[in-house]
Structures are given as C-alpha cells and as structure tokens.
Amino acid sequence: LGNHLMALLDLTQDAIRPNARLDVADLLTQALGVSMPRRSDFMAGGSSASRSYLLLVHRAAKHVLEECGPYVALKHWLQRSEVPLPAVRDVPMPSAERAIAAAQHAIEVADAAGDEWLKVRGAPWYDGALEDSSPAEPKEEQLRNEARKLYTMAFEACAMALKGSQEVLHQEWFQTFWARNY
C-alpha cells in the first residue's frame, strides 16, 4: 500500500492547467482521516527537510491499514460465510415442465420405434455377420429410418428441455437416455 500511496501522492499533473491541479495529499487526508505528507515539505527549505518522506508515507499507509482492520475482517467474514443453497431444485420451473414432458414422450415414442425395428432386424451379432452382405429388407430399412428420425426428434426435445431447465441434467430419465445413446 505504501508504494501505491507514494505513486498516487506523486501523481504528475503536468498536462493539467496549474489552477485546475488537484492537491492529492489534501484529498487523501480528508477522505481517510490520516495525515498525508507532501513531497514539497521534504525538499530543501521545506518544513520537514531533515525527515524522511518515504518513512512518513509508509507510516501513513500502515495507519490506513490499521484503521481499516475491522472493515477487512468483516469483508473476509462475509466472503467466507457459507450459506447452504440447494444445487438442484426439486421441482423444475413451470415454464420448463411442458418441454420436459414433451422430451419424455418423444423418448418413449423413439424407444417404441427402435424396439419394433430391432424385432424385425433380429440379433445384432451372429456368426458370419461380417460376411453376410445381403441388403436389408425394405420394411426393415423403413423402420430403421423411422426410428432414426424419431430419435433425432427426441434429442431435439431433450435439448429444448435442457434449455428450459438446467436441472434436467440431474434427473434420472435424462441421464439414462443420455448414457445409452451418447
């Protein structure tokens, strides 16, 4: 603080007209209630020429710090005071409930279409699956495209629900859907 105070007291005001220059030492003395030294008093012929300007500036800084002790203590107490805040709301915002319901419904519809496609498709892996290059049946391809479209719509609905309420990230249905489809 002493160095900053010294820089402020020695502020160059050459660009300001002489009658408009500020007496920084006087302003700080009035504002802080601590006597601030002026460099001109410590120059040759000044009232305090035999004393150290640096020492008095650092004493003033120390006095300012001693005066602001209770304020600093209060500030630290307020900054460190912990108020328990719920990280997640139990109930989503009313504006997001409709988007959440739409997302859950879209997931159910997409899962039903995916189940139907898997029944027609059969087992995902069997011996010789890599050698079998037979084209998919038209019904299977139609069901796969329908399921893909419905899952895309379900992801878009989940994105809207997430945009409406960040708490969706902590709900089990969203985590389950994300974990099995990511």
Side-chain angles (χ1 to χ4, degrees):
L1 178 64
N3 291 335
H4 292 290
L5 192 56
M6 201 168 334
L8 188 59
L9 289 170
D10 292 337
L11 186 65
T12 57
Q13 300 182 33
D14 295 337
I16 302 173
R17 284 183 267 162
N19 60 349
R21 292 182 182 168
L22 298 173
D23 185 3
V24 178
D26 187 47
L27 288 172
L28 288 173
T29 300
Q30 289 176 2
L32 300 174
V34 176
S35 179
M36 294 291 161
R38 288 181 177 76
R39 186 177 284 277
S40 60
D41 293 340
F42 294 86
M43 304 301 259
S47 61
S48 302
S50 62
R51 300 177 72 195
S52 171
Y53 173 70
L54 298 175
L55 179 65
L56 288 177
V57 169
H58 284 286
R59 277 189 189 161
K62 183 178 177 185
H63 190 58
V64 167
L65 289 175
E66 288 171 356
E67 291 291 322
C68 72
Y71 164 75
V72 171
L74 177 65
K75 182 180 125 192
H76 286 297
W77 181 79
L78 290 174
Q79 286 177 343
R80 294 179 186 264
S81 177
E82 295 181 19
V83 178
L85 295 174
V88 179
R89 291 186 177 110
D90 293 335
V91 179
M93 298 291 288
S95 60
E97 287 179 0
R98 191 176 312 140
I100 291 171
Q104 289 173 331
H105 178 69
I107 290 171
E108 291 172 9
V109 171
D111 283 344
D115 287 341
E116 187 178 340
W117 170 64
L118 285 176
K119 286 177 187 171
V120 171
R121 178 178 161 233
W125 184 259
Y126 54 89
D127 289 334
L130 295 176
E131 290 85 29
D132 186 15
S133 60
S134 59
E137 295 179 20
K139 182 179 181 186
E140 178 189 343
E141 191 171 336
Q142 179 186 4
L143 288 174
R144 182 183 67 217
N145 290 338
E146 182 67 21
R148 181 180 294 154
K149 183 179 87 171
L150 290 172
Y151 272 110
T152 301
M153 291 171 51
F155 276 107
E156 290 171 357
C158 286
M160 292 303 293
L162 183 61
K163 187 177 180 182
S165 175
Q166 293 289 319
E167 286 83 18
V168 169
L169 285 173
H170 302 283
Q171 293 182 357
E172 187 178 339
W173 66 268
F174 186 85
Q175 291 175 347
T176 303
F177 180 69
W178 184 266
R180 67 185 165 100
N181 290 297
Y182 180 65

